Amino acid sequence: MEIKLGTNLLLAPYDEETDEKFKCKVVDQQGDILFIDYPVSTLTHRTAFLMEGTRFRASYIDEAKIGFSFKTTIMGREKGNIPTLKLTVPPDEEFEKVQRREYVRVETPVDVAIYRNDHYSQYVSEDISAGGLAIIASQADQFKPLEQVELTIALPFENREDGVKYVQTSAEVIRVIDQEGIIIVPLKFMNTDEIDKQHILRFCFERQLLIRKKETKI
């Protein structure tokens, strides 16, 4: 399968359990060999040294906003104007569509209005993904697990033509977390219509790109 140049990849180690993943960009493709720039760790935000022969599961979002993943192995390094790593590309039938729950969580603040007890309250998100978001609350007893609420989420896109998209959906409280006095409430989206789902996916993807650009400038 051809992967467009400039596509952002996320590499997750295939043979070990770890929270560390690696972000990179497609520089070139020659048949079943993919050339990527040197990956950056999601934990250290620094360029990572990845050994030849290491296996990963790579995931990306194409131009149609569809997520795909595939198994790949580092085949070596290539010197040139831009130093690159070489990755294997499997046959088309081995590419898998990524379920929405597998999309990466993006740590970014967005305004969230929650309707409960017959009135709206304003919150700010800690993070957001295609499957839900986490808000910051002032008190641990404000929400209860399994409670269902109505959300209005303001998604500020960078493109002026897009402006701010307002997504309305219901959600279920997963749990309430007290992180050293900071109350985090993860919520799982429910009954979100397809148009709003696409807005959320596109917003998360855009924010991933913006975060990556900022990290590469550091």
Side-chain angles (χ1 to χ4, degrees), residues 68-107:
F68 290 94
S69 71
F70 59 92
K71 296 177 184 177
T72 185
T73 302
I74 296 178
M75 298 299 294
R77 303 174 187 279
E78 188 79 9
K79 294 182 179 179
N81 294 333
I82 301 176
T84 58
L85 295 182
K86 296 188 290 184
L87 302 180
T88 57
V89 178
D92 289 0
E93 59 269 21
E94 294 185 21
F95 278 71
E96 300 177 8
K97 283 191 176 182
V98 179
Q99 297 298 318
R100 286 188 171 88
R101 67 178 181 273
E102 296 178 52
Y103 280 96
V104 179
R105 183 184 67 226
V106 181
E107 294 183 1

Side-chain angles (χ1 to χ4, degrees), residues 56-204:
F56 293 91
R57 177 168 290 278
S59 58
Y60 68 96
I61 301 174
D62 68 7
E63 292 181 288
K65 312 303 181 194
I66 298 174
F68 290 94
S69 71
F70 59 92
K71 296 177 184 177
T72 185
T73 302
I74 296 178
M75 298 299 294
R77 303 174 187 279
E78 188 79 9
K79 294 182 179 179
N81 294 333
I82 301 176
T84 58
L85 295 182
K86 296 188 290 184
L87 302 180
T88 57
V89 178
D92 289 0
E93 59 269 21
E94 294 185 21
F95 278 71
E96 300 177 8
K97 283 191 176 182
V98 179
Q99 297 298 318
R100 286 188 171 88
R101 67 178 181 273
E102 296 178 52
Y103 280 96
V104 179
R105 183 184 67 226
V106 181
E107 294 183 1
T108 187
V110 296
D111 291 327
V112 182
I114 296 184
Y115 184 76
R116 58 197 292 268
N117 300 327
D118 296 324
H119 73 275
Y120 283 96
S121 298
Q122 292 294 132
Y123 298 89
V124 175
S125 72
E126 170 78 2
D127 57 59
I128 184 171
S129 73
L133 54 74
I135 61 168
I136 302 172
S138 58
Q139 297 177 358
D141 60 356
Q142 281 184 288
F143 295 90
K144 298 183 183 301
L146 302 182
E147 177 184 359
Q148 294 188 10
V149 297
E150 299 298 319
L151 309 181
T152 299
I153 309 165
L155 303 176
F157 287 89
E158 287 293 304
N159 189 328
R160 291 183 178 179
E161 294 182 359
D162 290 330
V164 178
K165 300 293 185 184
Y166 292 94
V167 168
Q168 294 184 320
T169 183
S170 56
E172 182 178 272
V173 176
I174 300 174
R175 57 186 175 275
V176 178
I177 305 169
D178 189 337
Q179 295 182 348
E180 299 180 353
I182 299 175
I183 309 302
I184 306 296
V185 183
L187 303 165
K188 179 176 69 175
F189 295 145
M190 303 171 61
N191 305 319
T192 310
D193 70 37
E194 194 59 36
I195 293 177
D196 283 340
K197 287 178 183 177
Q198 292 302 317
H199 287 327
I200 297 169
L201 283 169
R202 191 158 59 88
F203 176 78
C204 290

Side-chain angles (χ1 to χ4, degrees), residues 43-57:
L43 294 183
T44 66
H45 305 300
R46 295 181 179 178
T47 301
F49 181 81
L50 304 181
M51 298 291 292
E52 184 175 340
T54 307
R55 299 194 301 173
F56 293 91
R57 177 168 290 278

